[in-house]
Amino acid sequence: MRTPICEELGIEFPIFAFTHCRDVVVAVTKAGGFGVLGAVGFSPEQLEIELNWIDEHIGDRPYGVDIVIPNKYEGMDANTSTEELTKMLQDMVPQGHLDFARKLLNDHGVPTPEGEDNSLQLLGWTEATATPQVEVALAHPKMTLIANALGTPPADMIDHIHAEGRKVAALCGSPYQARKHADAGVDIIIAQGGEGGGHCGEVGSIVLWPQVVKEVAPVPVLAAGGIGNGAQIAAALALGCQGAWSGSQWLMVEESENTPVQQDTYVKATSRDTVRSRSFTGKPCRMLRNDWTDAWAADGNPEPLGMPLQYMVSGMAVAATHRYPDQSVDVAFNPVGQVVGQFEKVEKTAAVIQRWVEEYLEAVEHLNSLNAAAGV
Ligand SMILES: Cc1cc2nc3c(=O)[nH]c(=O)nc-3n(C[C@H](O)[C@H](O)[C@H](O)COP(=O)(O)O)c2cc1C
């Protein structure tokens, strides 16, 4: 399963795992893959704690950090401090949206104590909030890759990361976005099909991956969206990608922070139970469909706001999910891809990597045996 990107990054298998859990980052990297910590939910101070912990446990191996600077978001032209930007955005959130969200949660038996409910907080979905995260990440030498979701990172940030001797990756959902990344000097392009968990476009992986590979060659492309076994990695490599970037699978490992109740929800979900919804972040994001996503899509109810305003409303549901993970399933933010329909059980991270490698080899052998049977 080795591809040139393995040499470049010093890893055994081209398996990249996006996760919010430091334990999963360490377990993936130690099993021969490449763990990437999603930083969007962490303040710079919290991120520093997480990365120190990773450094202590990961040995000499590399890992990455994922930030989110969208191409477009509310307030992006405001040349102000984070505090001023936060204040400006807070004033743009209609009270009716906050009341609607609070009632929805309370009607589901989820408490939202005012002042402690996380509403009106600005998460790291802006350049102002992501820049300090990049500075924290670059202070950790084993952190060798910074990935950006939702847009091409600013040119000065790319230059800065390169000057520090690290690589830059960026997600995309179209050849057009991929071209912008490549022209800006992004080292690794992650092509995420519409079936993937989290923010995604509408085009499915099997169509998108080869289009992006063709568009940006020779820049390496990682395949994202719909990878939950080794045969799917074989398909990605057959379509010209150099590796697999996955997210949903890592919700279903023992090392993740997800509770057994949440993981049971994933086991029960079919591939038809996810929806692309703007109801949490303001941009289309694939997640488990539930009463929250339905309510924000219903006629007559408030329309989701743009990014990052909608999260200043939905943050109270996310806070409730953390505080009452097992009571809030019907209104929780559960980003996950259609691959959820494949999940049958919770596994150890190392067992997933081993399984994927074995399944990949089986898939390749299967192709060879078809050729042999046809006398090729
Ligand atoms: C719970 C969850 C949260 C995610 N959050 C982010 C994020 O903050 N930044 C990002 O670049 N991608 C995020 N993603 C997308 C993943 O990086 C990855 O591209 C995607 O999960 C791949 O598709 P898959 O879910 O089919 O594996 C998230 C995915 C999931 C499942």
Side-chain angles (χ1 to χ4, degrees), residues 286-362:
R286 187 169 295 285
M287 60 191 76
L288 279 187
R289 183 180 165 189
N290 63 15
D291 291 351
W292 176 281
T293 61
D294 283 354
W296 286 92
D299 284 345
N301 285 344
E303 282 269 323
L305 306 167
M307 181 176 270
L309 296 177
Q310 182 63 14
Y311 190 84
M312 296 177 108
V313 176
S314 67
M316 66 175 90
V318 177
T321 310
H322 288 308
R323 248 187 245 168
Y324 317 99
D326 298 346
Q327 291 99 300
S328 58
V329 167
D330 293 336
V331 282
F333 183 30
N334 262 321
V336 73
Q338 292 176 342
V339 73
V340 71
Q342 280 175 219
F343 298 157
E344 291 173 357
K345 61 175 188 217
V346 177
E347 297 167 271
K348 273 203 174 306
T349 297
V352 172
I353 303 269
Q354 193 185 339
R355 173 167 67 76
W356 283 13
V357 172
E358 285 166 11
E359 289 165 344
Y360 167 84
L361 293 172
E362 276 164 29

Side-chain angles (χ1 to χ4, degrees), residues 241-326:
C241 299
Q242 282 212 20
W245 171 285
S246 56
S248 297
Q249 175 70 69
W250 313 106
L251 304 169
M252 286 295 288
V253 289
E254 283 178 19
E255 292 86 348
S256 94
E257 281 161 10
N258 291 71
T259 68
V261 171
Q262 288 174 313
Q263 289 172 326
D264 193 47
T265 312
Y266 298 133
V267 170
K268 291 197 178 113
T270 72
S271 291
R272 293 174 60 91
D273 292 327
T274 71
V275 63
R276 272 173 90 236
S277 167
R278 291 180 48 233
S279 63
F280 278 96
T281 71
K283 286 194 191 279
C285 180
R286 187 169 295 285
M287 60 191 76
L288 279 187
R289 183 180 165 189
N290 63 15
D291 291 351
W292 176 281
T293 61
D294 283 354
W296 286 92
D299 284 345
N301 285 344
E303 282 269 323
L305 306 167
M307 181 176 270
L309 296 177
Q310 182 63 14
Y311 190 84
M312 296 177 108
V313 176
S314 67
M316 66 175 90
V318 177
T321 310
H322 288 308
R323 248 187 245 168
Y324 317 99
D326 298 346

Side-chain angles (χ1 to χ4, degrees), residues 42-90:
F42 296 119
S43 66
E45 297 74 26
Q46 285 168 323
L47 184 62
E48 174 68 14
I49 294 170
E50 302 301 300
L51 300 189
N52 282 337
W53 188 93
I54 292 174
D55 286 344
E56 274 167 34
H57 292 83
I58 207 160
D60 288 335
R61 295 179 184 227
Y63 64 93
V65 164
D66 177 280
I67 54 165
V68 187
I69 306 180
N71 264 341
K72 274 198 209 123
Y73 55 90
E74 302 282 351
M76 68 181 287
D77 296 327
N79 197 8
T80 56
S81 67
T82 310
E83 290 72 29
E84 283 165 343
L85 179 65
T86 307
K87 175 80 186 73
M88 185 186 105
L89 293 170
Q90 283 170 342

Side-chain angles (χ1 to χ4, degrees), residues 169-201:
L171 284 89
C172 71
S174 71
Y176 169 77
Q177 291 165 350
R179 168 61 28 219
K180 280 178 64 181
H181 292 341
D183 287 348
V186 169
D187 305 289
I188 299 169
I189 313 273
I190 302 156
Q192 156 128 337
E195 58 267 69
H199 293 108
C200 60

